[in-house]
Amino acid sequence: MSFFDAMILGIVQGLTEFLPVSSSGHLVILENLLNIRTDTDVLFHVLLHFGTLIAICLVFKNDLFRMLVETIHIFQDLTPNFKIYIDNKMHSAQTTPYRKILCNNYRTMVAMILISTIPTGILGYLLQNLVDRCSSSLSVTGLGLLITAVVLLVVDNWQLGNKLPKHITVPQALAIGVCQGISVIPGISRSGITIIAGFLCGFRRGFAIRYSYLVSIPAILGAMILECGKLESKSVTWSLGFSYTAGMLTAAVVGYFSIRFMLAFIKKKKLRIFSIYCFIMGILAIVCYFV
């Protein structure tokens, strides 16, 4: 892989990971069109994921810090609640009230993101072999992009809700997690399908995209862990390592601005333009498969 190839793929990863157009689908198409091959491509994909993870953490650093603080407070409240439970059981006449655990939006977000991660992790693990077989298939990628296009177009005209973090329910969190798990299939946009799931659950536009990005953090970490398990002890030259690092940093920088763009875009504009784009790219992938 040349330095130019790494930069191009880094730009594509950073841009399409956070737009509802499928980053995996674009990487498959570009790698086939540019005939990019390397013995250590798994390592490069891990670094690309790490780059997009950096972008999310930079954009949502305040939210993540607050969520970390509230996670600590949750565990601090669980301990006395456990003691209260034991006391109430030992003294049947005693009914000491419990501390409320999910007492603010950030605590609710932490709990619901953890719940969403469960079906995502299960589906990601179960579909791993299927994804490995389809990871370079232009036909599967094209079909996935067409499905993304149809879903975006249909739900774009859906009557939007006004729900905030405190309104999330466990079934809704599980549904979003399932949608995110399905997005491991090339061509199915992770951000697109989770944003749409948020719309269908009645989330406010801004909150739907915010939740979509935050819930991707454990998913990206999981993908990195799975890919690290496939790493083999093959030598990486200094030039190749430099190219990989450049691709990772490019994905981080482009991803940062991509998120900023979507946060502003989603509040005022519809997703129809991305639907049209996915349809065009899906047709292109299928045509390239048969040519």
Side-chain angles (χ1 to χ4, degrees):
M1 177 182 292
S2 67
F3 177 82
F4 176 76
D5 291 337
M7 291 290 288
I8 290 295
L9 293 179
I11 291 172
V12 171
Q13 171 70 17
L15 186 64
T16 58
E17 175 68 28
F18 304 110
L19 300 183
V21 294
S22 178
S23 61
S24 61
H26 280 72
L27 290 177
V28 169
I29 293 173
L30 274 180
E31 287 173 359
N32 276 274
L33 291 179
L34 300 179
N35 195 28
I36 299 174
R37 294 290 183 272
T38 173
D39 291 336
T40 54
D41 58 345
V42 173
L43 174 60
F44 183 61
H45 288 159
V46 170
L47 292 175
L48 287 183
H49 278 124
F50 186 67
T52 52
L53 187 61
I54 292 173
I56 298 173
C57 291
L58 288 175
V59 174
F60 296 103
K61 58 182 182 299
N62 294 331
D63 285 326
L64 291 172
F65 176 76
R66 181 67 186 277
M67 289 169 68
L68 176 61
V69 171
E70 292 300 335
T71 300
I72 296 172
H73 289 165
I74 287 175
F75 283 103
Q76 289 175 340
D77 286 342
L78 284 174
T79 301
N81 275 357
F82 180 73
K83 293 179 179 179
I84 292 172
Y85 173 79
I86 298 299
D87 289 341
N88 287 343
K89 285 294 184 181
M90 294 179 64
H91 308 90
S92 57
Q94 184 176 344
T95 56
T96 305
Y98 293 99
R99 292 187 183 184
K100 187 175 182 180
I101 301 300
L102 305 183
C103 57
N104 59 49
N105 284 340
Y106 283 103
R107 290 194 182 193
T108 303
M109 285 273 283
V110 170
M112 294 302 116
I113 286 175
L114 290 176
I115 291 172
S116 292
T117 302
I118 295 172
T120 297
I122 293 173
L123 285 172
Y125 179 78
L126 293 177
L127 297 176
Q128 186 177 358
N129 291 332
L130 174 63
V131 173
D132 287 342
R133 291 196 296 269
C134 301
S135 60
S136 59
S137 172
L138 283 172
S139 59
V140 173
T141 298
L143 181 60
L145 284 166
L146 292 178
I147 292 173
T148 298
V150 171
V151 172
L152 287 174
L153 184 61
V154 171
V155 183
D156 197 32
N157 297 312
W158 198 272
Q159 183 65 37
L160 295 179
N162 202 34
K163 292 181 179 179
L164 294 172
K166 62 183 179 181
H167 300 127
I168 309 177
T169 64
V170 171
Q172 290 172 345
L174 289 172
I176 292 174
V178 169
C179 290
Q180 183 166 245
I182 295 172
S183 69
V184 296
I185 299 173
I188 303 293
S189 169
R190 190 215 61 79
S191 60
I193 197 169
T194 51
I195 291 172
I196 290 302
F199 286 174
L200 293 176
C201 290
F203 294 177
R204 183 178 293 179
R205 270 183 172 266
F207 173 52
I209 190 170
R210 185 163 150 243
Y211 190 85
S212 169
Y213 290 154
L214 289 174
V215 80
S216 73
I217 293 176
I220 292 175
L221 285 172
M224 288 174 60
I225 292 171
L226 286 176
E227 289 179 340
C228 283
K230 304 173 189 175
L231 287 175
E232 299 177 3
S233 56
K234 295 181 179 179
S235 59
V236 177
T237 63
W238 280 103
S239 61
L240 193 59
F242 179 73
S243 298
Y244 280 14
T245 302
M248 177 192 72
L249 294 177
T250 302
V253 173
V254 175
Y256 177 87
F257 289 104
S258 178
I259 295 174
R260 289 293 187 190
F261 167 77
M262 277 300 294
L263 288 173
F265 181 91
I266 202 72
K267 294 179 180 178
K268 300 178 181 179
K269 305 292 184 180
K270 289 185 173 293
L271 299 174
R272 189 173 295 115
I273 183 67
F274 296 113
S275 173
I276 296 172
Y277 177 80
C278 285
F279 181 79
I280 294 173
M281 292 301 294
I283 295 298
L284 173 64
I286 293 174
V287 169
C288 290
Y289 172 75
F290 286 106
V291 170

